[in-house]
Amino acid sequence: MSDRLELTGMVLASTPIGEYDRRVVLLTRERGKISAFAKGARRQSSPLMGAVKPFTFGTFECFEGRSSYNIYRASVNSYFEELSTDFEGTCYGMYFLEFADYYTRENNDEREMLNLLYVALNALQKKTMPAELIRRVYELRAMVIGGEYPECFCCVNCGSTEQLAGYSDRKKGTVCESCLSETHAKKLQESTIYTLQYVIGSPLTKLFHFQVSETVHAEFTEIVEEFQKSVLDREFKSLETLRAILEFSVENTKQS
């Protein structure tokens, strides 16, 4: 006997199954990440056709069986339409979806990750910050939610919370002025350390509403990228596409 459920969430991925169906990965408030089938969703006449595309956020009514979910109705709150008309924005967005897919689990409380994904996509769509900065902020905060992030509020060598001045890749955290030479840490701008602390601890509503200098952006990016390499065990397909698009864009800029 199947149970009826009403789940609020976002489509992370959608793949064709058989002739007319789709298999959908949803990140939901109520059940964490789930896989569900949308029967007939590839038919032109299906009311589910537009509701099971990546980025779709809304309410999904499902039957829960013993081993799978089946979507039979959906009420869409947002398609993030403006991302679909911006190829670079779409590439960033697809990477965000894949990153969220990596860090989330079924029957786990993933409300914070869902909220982060929503506000990050909204920031991409509204261009509240440069897309590459949105990406790095999103990556770091997603790792925070996943329980893996650098220590940025005290010195990882002596424990001091005063005069933080650098970052140690080996120790995965900030170091104070006194420990810089001993730990062979990279000297950082004071604003870079503040940016790390801000992204780790600020409310989601304020997360994508700040600007930094080019120097701080570069230092922040390097730290997030190196930390990510040390804790993640995979490469993202969507990231390969994004890199190719960004490289193409840089080459076009140089030629023009």
Side-chain angles (χ1 to χ4, degrees):
M1 188 76 177
S2 296
D3 294 327
R4 294 189 180 193
L5 291 175
E6 190 172 283
L7 305 175
T8 299
M10 183 178 293
V11 178
L12 299 183
S14 180
T15 54
I17 296 290
E19 192 172 358
Y20 296 113
D21 304 338
R22 282 194 173 275
R23 177 182 176 274
V24 181
V25 179
L26 288 173
L27 183 59
T28 72
R29 287 177 182 163
E30 298 83 0
R31 296 293 178 94
K33 184 174 67 177
I34 67 167
S35 293
F37 293 96
K39 293 182 178 179
R42 295 166 64 199
R43 294 181 186 273
Q44 292 293 327
S45 59
S46 173
L48 291 177
M49 188 175 188
V52 293
K53 295 179 179 179
F55 303 121
T56 303
F57 179 83
T59 301
F60 299 85
E61 296 180 53
C62 309
F63 289 115
E64 181 185 11
R66 290 182 178 179
S67 58
S68 66
Y69 296 83
N70 288 282
I71 301 170
Y72 65 90
R73 188 180 296 131
S75 176
V76 177
N77 291 58
S78 177
Y79 291 104
F80 290 95
E81 298 95 334
E82 291 176 39
L83 281 182
S84 64
T85 60
D86 176 3
F87 186 56
E88 187 174 299
T90 299
C91 291
Y92 274 104
M94 292 302 293
Y95 171 57
F96 289 6
L97 295 183
E98 191 177 2
F99 205 88
D101 191 6
Y102 173 85
Y103 260 112
T104 52
R105 300 291 181 268
E106 189 170 334
N107 294 319
N108 196 35
D109 185 351
E110 303 293 359
R111 286 173 292 180
E112 196 172 355
M113 188 69 82
L114 177 61
N115 291 341
L116 171 63
L117 181 58
Y118 185 91
V119 296
L121 292 176
N122 198 47
L124 270 181
Q125 184 169 254
K126 293 184 176 180
K127 303 185 188 305
T128 60
M129 296 159 61
E132 191 61 13
L133 181 56
I134 293 173
R135 169 192 166 184
R136 299 305 182 179
V137 171
Y138 172 77
E139 288 172 336
L140 178 54
R141 189 56 174 259
M143 289 188 289
V144 169
I145 294 171
E148 299 174 306
Y149 57 96
E151 171 55 69
C152 296
F153 294 89
C154 69
C155 175
V156 290
N157 195 54
C158 72
S160 173
T161 58
E162 303 296 325
Q163 295 184 308
L164 299 179
Y167 183 85
S168 168
D169 285 327
R170 184 173 63 84
K171 289 180 174 287
K172 295 182 174 59
T174 50
V175 297
C176 67
E177 189 76 46
S178 301
C179 296
L180 267 177
S181 57
E182 179 185 340
T183 57
H184 305 289
K186 295 186 288 267
K187 178 78 172 177
L188 294 179
Q189 297 274 327
E190 183 178 350
S191 294
T192 303
I193 295 174
Y194 174 75
T195 300
L196 288 164
Q197 294 173 340
Y198 183 86
V199 172
I200 289 170
S202 68
L204 286 182
T205 53
K206 297 181 178 180
L207 194 57
F208 297 100
H209 295 279
F210 67 90
Q211 300 295 327
V212 294
S213 68
E214 289 186 11
T215 301
V216 171
H217 188 175
E219 290 181 348
F220 177 71
T221 293
E222 183 180 357
I223 290 168
V224 174
E225 195 167 75
E226 288 302 312
F227 184 83
Q228 185 176 325
K229 287 177 183 176
S230 73
V231 298
L232 269 61
D233 59 1
R234 61 167 290 184
E235 278 286 327
F236 297 99
K237 292 181 180 179
S238 54
L239 185 54
E240 295 174 12
T241 303
L242 177 59
R243 284 174 181 152
I245 294 301
L246 295 178
E247 287 172 7
F248 180 77
S249 179
V250 169
E251 286 300 316
N252 274 359
T253 303
K254 288 180 180 178
Q255 293 174 8
S256 58

